[in-house]
Amino acid sequence: GGKVESGETPAEAASRELKEEAGIEAPLEHAGSLLCVIEGIELAFQIEIYSARSYTGVLTETDEMRPEWFALPPSVEESRSSRVASDALTELLPIPYDKMWDDDIHWLPLLIRGQRFVGRADCKENGDQFTMAKWWFGTLED
């Protein structure tokens, strides 16, 4: 997460934020774009999503991020070229979509499979939570 600073591209901001918030550097690739519209807020949020399959440095917890590892869906894990010992995989919990933003369950599987995507989520404020009222997500061809 984070904001693009003056003079930065979204990709440069993502790399900077990754270093600041997690202590690592990675060859980021643009994975998708999201538009979030919240009822009652005049401006929409444009979110650019980047991914990487490797990194360098020491993954570090910061005030901004507490990194955690989760198991990939079996079909994705079976197709990975570099395998982790099966014992280690069984110790990882599944991705906790119930603790994440409502739209994450729609685009994160696309990101994990390496599919580029675009989406929009229109949300309503419900107390201190936001719930999706309407949404659409689709994949992009290279």
Side-chain angles (χ1 to χ4, degrees), residues 25-41:
E25 295 180 9
L28 297 179
E29 294 181 16
H30 188 256
S33 298
L34 301 175
L35 182 67
C36 295
V37 178
I38 300 174
E39 185 178 89
I41 296 179

Side-chain angles (χ1 to χ4, degrees), residues 35-94:
L35 182 67
C36 295
V37 178
I38 300 174
E39 185 178 89
I41 296 179
E42 192 172 308
L43 300 174
F45 297 93
Q46 178 184 340
I47 302 165
E48 299 302 324
I49 309 291
Y50 293 85
S51 70
R53 303 290 181 196
S54 63
Y55 67 90
T56 58
V58 177
L59 195 58
T60 306
E61 182 174 332
T62 65
D63 290 341
E64 299 289 326
M65 184 188 327
R66 185 173 50 102
E68 294 183 62
W69 296 105
F70 297 98
L72 292 175
S75 60
V76 173
E77 184 55 39
E78 291 166 5
S79 67
R80 288 178 48 187
S81 60
S82 61
R83 295 186 178 265
V84 177
S86 60
D87 289 345
L89 290 175
T90 59
E91 294 175 13
L92 294 176
L93 296 174

